[in-house]
């Protein structure tokens, strides 16, 4: 199977993170024109752009930044073939220690920005042949997790948002799906204690941790023209047991 994304323009949010970089690289290698947003790790932008991608600063916690970015994309591009909402933050505290600001910021970045950014870019998506949106979610959005009140709430909301968006945008031909990538070693998880990594492996059917490159290749397939009639689904690229 020769997956080609030639002539497709795809936006990836959070493109300088661990999974984000893998997504940008894989999609670029398959021939897509990749646009990526970043709000941190500015030192990585030049290397990622060397792949042929184009980076944009975007603060997803700031509504004005989202609106400004959206207008820029609408002005610069006539069509967008796909959006991968990958950016996320985690403010890990129990309910009694989590601040209101941390809770609000988590929902703004992980959930609200997906709604606003998508709404702004729907006119560009509906011009594509097989337009797609993929929301990167998490297994903990299904089952919850101790000490991740804000993160789990935002990801649970995003799973539900995916299904509603699929229903509402289906008549425009826009396919909307979500994907749990599994426990991937990224900037977010890399700072966690070793026992957390070991626990993730022990809960895996394969006693392993997900590979960002492999997840990116699966996403590349979903973004290809091999997939034209699939929407409203939650894919578990995740070997963790319930």
């Amino acid at each position: 199977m020769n997956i080609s994304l030639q002539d497709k323009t795809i936006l990836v949010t959070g493109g300088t993170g661990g999974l984000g970089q893998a997504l940008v690289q894989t999609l670029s290698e398959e021939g897509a024109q990749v646009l990526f947003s970043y709000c941190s790790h500015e030192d990585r932008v030049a290397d990622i752009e060397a792949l042929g991608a184009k980076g944009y600063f975007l603060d997803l916690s700031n509504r004005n930044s989202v609106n400004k970015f959206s207008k820029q994309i609408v002005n610069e591009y006539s069509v967008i073939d796909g959006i991968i909402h990958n950016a996320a933050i985690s403010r890990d505290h129990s309910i009694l220690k989590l601040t209101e600001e941390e809770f609000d910021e988590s929902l703004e970045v992980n959930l609200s920005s997906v709604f606003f950014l998508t709404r702004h870019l729907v006119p560009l998506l509906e011009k594509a042949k097989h337009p797609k949106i993929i929301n990167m979610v998490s297994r903990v959005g299904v089952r919850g997790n101790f000490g991740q009140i804000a993160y789990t709430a935002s990801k649970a909301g995003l799973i539900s948002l995916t299904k509603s968006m699929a229903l509402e945008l289906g008549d425009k031909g826009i396919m909307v799906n979500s994907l749990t990538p599994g426990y991937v070693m990224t900037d977010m998880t890399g700072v966690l204690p070793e026992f957390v990594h070991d626990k993730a492996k022990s809960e895996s059917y394969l006693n392993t941790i997900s590979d960002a490159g492999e997840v990116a290749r699966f996403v590349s397939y979903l973004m290809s023209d091999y997939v034209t009639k699939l929407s409203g689904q939650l894919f578990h690229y995740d070997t963790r047991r319930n």
Side-chain angles (χ1 to χ4, degrees), residues 145-205:
N145 199 36
F146 185 90
Q148 289 194 307
I149 290 290
Y151 185 75
T152 57
S154 65
K155 292 301 184 179
L158 189 51
I159 291 171
S160 182
L161 181 66
T162 297
K163 294 181 179 297
S164 294
M165 285 170 60
L167 288 169
E168 293 191 7
L169 299 178
D171 62 351
K172 299 180 182 295
I174 301 174
M175 291 162 272
V176 189
N177 294 289
S178 56
L179 168 69
T180 66
Y183 192 89
V184 183
M185 294 301 291
T186 64
D187 297 298
M188 186 184 297
T189 59
V191 298
L192 298 176
E194 192 65 31
F195 77 85
V196 177
H197 307 321
D198 293 338
K199 184 175 184 292
K201 290 179 65 176
S202 69
E203 293 178 338
S204 164
Y205 287 116

Side-chain angles (χ1 to χ4, degrees), residues 89-94 98 102 106 146-149 151 188 192:
I89 61 172
S90 181
R91 300 293 183 253
D92 295 347
H93 302 293
S94 64
L98 186 73
E102 289 174 325
S106 297
F146 185 90
Q148 289 194 307
I149 290 290
Y151 185 75
M188 186 184 297
L192 298 176

